[in-house]
Amino acid sequence: MQKPIWLASYPRSGNTYLRTILFHCFGLRSASIYPNDLGTNEYLQKQVGHIEHIDGKIQFPPGTKFPVIKTHEVPPDNNPTIYLVRNGYDATLSLHDWLDNNVDLSDIIIGKQPFSLTWSRHLEAWHPWNRPNTLFLRFEEITTDLPSLLKQLSTFLNLPILSETVPSRDQIAAKDGKWIRAQHSHKSRIFTSKQRHQFNHENAAMMKQLGYPLVSEKLTHQQLPVVSHNNKEYLLGGITSTDNLKDFFRMIRPVAITTPLIRIGEDNDGGYLVPDDLDLIQACFSPGVSDICQFEEDLAERGIKSFMTDYSVEAAPVENPLFHFKKRHLGLTNDSQTIRLYDWVNQEIPEAGDDLVLQMDIEGAEYQVLLDTPADTLRRFRIVVIEFHGLTRLFASAIFTYMQQAFRRLTDNFEVVHMHPNNCCPVRMHKGFEVPDVLECTFYRKDRAHAVISDAQLAFPHALDAPNVPHKEDIKLPTCWSSDEWQGNIQLL
């Protein structure tokens, strides 16, 4: 018998349903490291092809070629593995439900639960995206695209597909309801604001790496103002007019400059293209701190110090004499948890005159910060790099003006010299306008970007661009952001 194949996942990520697929479509029975894993539900055990412990041991039938064993623990060895991931919010809430609310949701978020690890720490322990002999699957895909899943499993296991039929989740849930839930079960679907903050603090970097969208702690303007009626959704305040959308895209259209762009930071998420004009830059201001800071480290190698701020972490991810950390969120007030950009800059570098860099990734709060910051403060920055979030809200007329004014605070004094959609989130299209939900933008102060090449054709993506999420296809900047070539019929009704 071969070495066991681990079927690994964070709890409540669809492991039991995947075992059902392996049994019905490949004839593979499987076991679990946990005794009495499926309780006393004989119907479920039969559907899953479950092998229960006997005398405290897993005993596979004689002749078993592929012993498959479920686990939620850290890797015990280098055996072949099928790793299944699920959106961290959904997996965490489902685990809370499965534990019958006997463990506080906040404790589950920080790893104080029977399986010990947080969602992201479990992924870090297994590292399935580049672990040898590992098939990395997503719950969201195995439940929607069975043919593709079966091909991947067949190739990985080197086994023929015996059947392409599997009992539906709802069919099993009707006789179980605990290990496998109905597809549209909505029990306990809500995080409090504090719990969202806890979850994002623990898991934001991993969620972004895997392309799962974050839910912001601030729910005021983070989501489209949508109401439902007769199973249809409507935007409160109506849809932004065609003329307003055209004017917006023209206002922020990227321009070509004679100064070449260089890449600073990571090869994927955390790396940005900036003009090769960093001489005599005194400092970088970097609100929003992740577990990596290659952007700031690259600047430090050029002798540029970085000021960082983020209330959700305790310190900069690495120590460097040129790094200065402040435990605050960037916001609209000055108190124990937040600080205004204007006050932060003037506290750290009170004398204007030397040029600065702003690199901001603050999960949707960028609009209010830009609107709050005086133009004189913004002009102190030679280069501004911002990751804008929730851009599909441009389609909602109730929010459009707010977002447009935030961009205008920059375009009054800066040229847009680069754009790159973050492939963590999809592009939405409405009446011919395509909008990525998350977009990286580089702004270059006009007195430095004086050599604009007016008739140049920019290429997207740039040769130095790379997908933020490495295992997903990169997103090309839609044409409406760089030209008047709108897609399809643009008449908004």
Side-chain angles (χ1 to χ4, degrees):
M1 188 167 63
Q2 292 186 1
K3 293 180 179 179
I5 297 175
W6 298 116
L7 186 54
S9 69
Y10 181 81
R12 306 304 302 161
S13 296
N15 206 310
T16 302
Y17 186 60
L18 183 55
R19 292 176 66 192
T20 305
I21 293 172
L22 289 172
F23 178 57
H24 284 265
C25 300
F26 294 93
L28 286 180
R29 298 181 63 191
S30 59
S32 169
I33 67 168
Y34 310 105
N36 196 33
D37 183 60
L38 300 180
T40 58
N41 190 326
E42 294 183 1
Y43 171 82
L44 182 61
Q45 291 178 357
K46 182 178 179 180
Q47 294 299 322
V48 172
H50 177 66
I51 297 174
E52 188 51 71
H53 291 224
I54 299 176
D55 297 329
K57 295 181 180 180
I58 300 173
Q59 298 183 19
F60 284 94
T64 299
K65 184 178 179 181
F66 291 97
V68 179
I69 302 177
K70 164 187 169 179
T71 181
H72 298 312
E73 308 302 314
V74 298
D77 49 42
N78 294 322
N79 283 10
T81 297
I82 300 172
Y83 189 96
L84 183 61
V85 67
R86 183 183 186 184
N87 184 309
Y89 294 112
D90 295 335
T92 302
L93 286 168
S94 184
L95 180 57
H96 184 234
D97 292 347
W98 188 82
L99 293 170
D100 295 324
N101 301 334
N102 291 324
V103 179
D104 189 81
L105 180 57
S106 294
D107 287 337
I108 293 174
I109 291 169
I110 63 175
K112 290 184 178 179
Q113 36 91 354
F115 302 97
S116 300
L117 295 177
T118 66
W119 177 83
S120 61
R121 295 298 180 191
H122 194 278
L123 278 151
E124 289 169 1
W126 284 90
H127 226 252
W129 46 88
N130 62 6
R131 185 178 186 270
N133 299 317
T134 298
L135 177 61
F136 187 23
L137 301 174
R138 291 172 180 263
F139 172 81
E140 294 80 12
E141 294 172 355
I142 75 166
T143 55
T144 58
D145 190 355
L146 181 61
S148 176
L149 169 67
L150 296 182
K151 290 179 181 178
Q152 292 182 73
L153 289 170
S154 177
T155 300
F156 181 75
L157 298 169
N158 194 25
L159 286 177
I161 301 170
L162 303 180
S163 171
E164 296 186 3
T165 302
V166 65
S168 70
R169 287 172 56 199
D170 290 351
Q171 178 183 344
I172 299 175
K175 295 189 178 182
D176 169 42
K178 182 175 177 65
W179 274 268
I180 294 181
R181 291 282 174 84
Q183 275 188 286
H184 301 291
S185 172
H186 293 289
K187 181 183 177 185
S188 183
R189 293 291 94 189
I190 299 175
F191 283 91
T192 66
S193 177
K194 179 181 178 181
Q195 288 163 347
R196 280 192 300 273
H197 176 77
Q198 285 180 313
F199 181 90
N200 291 345
H201 173 60
E202 295 286 345
N203 303 296
M206 186 63 71
M207 288 282 286
K208 291 180 68 176
Q209 178 179 332
L210 296 183
Y212 289 117
L214 288 176
V215 176
S216 173
E217 302 148 38
K218 308 174 183 66
L219 296 181
T220 52
H221 63 272
Q222 296 302 315
Q223 298 172 343
L224 284 170
V226 173
V227 295
S228 297
H229 179 66
N230 292 336
N231 296 321
K232 292 185 178 180
E233 292 184 336
Y234 300 88
L235 294 176
L236 289 175
I239 298 171
T240 306
S241 73
T242 299
D243 287 342
N244 281 343
L245 286 170
K246 284 185 176 182
D247 288 344
F248 172 80
F249 289 128
R250 290 185 180 119
M251 177 184 73
I252 62 169
R253 183 166 299 166
V255 300
I257 54 175
T258 56
T259 306
L261 300 180
I262 59 175
R263 189 175 184 90
I264 301 292
E266 294 286 319
D267 292 335
N268 299 106
D269 195 44
Y272 302 96
L273 271 59
V274 302
D276 189 7
D277 183 18
L278 298 174
D279 291 345
L280 301 180
I281 291 286
Q282 183 176 355
C284 170
F285 283 79
S286 185
V289 178
S290 180
D291 58 353
I292 55 174
C293 59
Q294 190 62 52
F295 185 90
E296 294 81 2
E297 290 184 281
D298 287 354
L299 293 181
E301 290 183 0
R302 297 168 178 260
I304 301 171
K305 57 188 173 184
S306 287
F307 296 96
M308 307 179 192
T309 189
D310 196 318
Y311 188 75
S312 66
V313 300
E314 298 300 322
V318 300
E319 292 185 5
N320 189 303
L322 293 180
F323 292 173
H324 306 273
F325 177 79
K326 187 183 293 290
K327 187 176 172 62
R328 295 287 191 279
H329 280 315
L330 208 58
L332 304 180
T333 59
N334 295 313
D335 52 40
S336 61
Q337 295 187 14
T338 60
I339 189 169
R340 296 173 65 213
L341 179 60
Y342 166 80
D343 295 290
W344 183 33
V345 171
N346 284 285
Q347 285 177 16
E348 304 295 356
I349 305 182
E351 297 294 330
D354 293 317
D355 280 355
L356 309 171
V357 170
L358 175 64
Q359 187 268 308
M360 183 158 61
D361 181 1
I362 52 177
E363 305 300 335
E366 57 271 10
Y367 304 100
Q368 62 184 16
V369 168
L370 289 172
L371 290 170
D372 177 65
T373 304
D376 287 346
T377 300
L378 292 175
R379 280 194 292 267
R380 297 187 63 184
F381 297 100
R382 181 187 300 177
I383 298 169
V384 174
V385 181
I386 301 179
E387 184 168 270
F388 289 95
H389 301 78
L391 279 169
T392 51
R393 291 174 290 143
L394 286 166
F395 293 134
S397 61
I399 294 178
F400 171 81
T401 301
Y402 166 81
M403 298 176 70
Q404 180 191 46
Q405 291 302 317
F407 275 94
R408 182 164 287 150
R409 296 303 301 275
L410 289 168
T411 58
D412 282 347
N413 294 286
F414 294 82
E415 299 283 6
V416 181
V417 296
H418 184 62
M419 288 181 170
H420 177 246
N422 187 325
N423 66 338
C424 71
C425 300
V427 173
R428 304 295 185 191
M429 185 172 184
H430 185 78
K431 297 295 184 179
F433 296 96
E434 294 179 280
V435 177
D437 200 54
V438 182
L439 182 69
E440 300 167 347
C441 295
T442 302
F443 300 84
Y444 194 24
R445 203 174 59 219
K446 289 182 178 179
D447 67 307
R448 307 291 298 197
H450 49 80
V452 173
I453 309 171
S454 59
D455 59 348
Q457 294 294 317
L458 292 172
F460 297 100
H462 189 280
L464 296 178
D465 278 328
N468 296 70
V469 183
H471 63 272
K472 294 180 66 176
E473 184 178 357
D474 206 4
I475 297 174
K476 183 179 179 180
L477 184 72
T479 55
C480 62
W481 294 79
S482 58
S483 74
D484 282 338
E485 295 180 14
W486 320 108
Q487 299 289 324
N489 175 16
I490 60 172
Q491 182 64 40
L492 295 177
L493 301 178

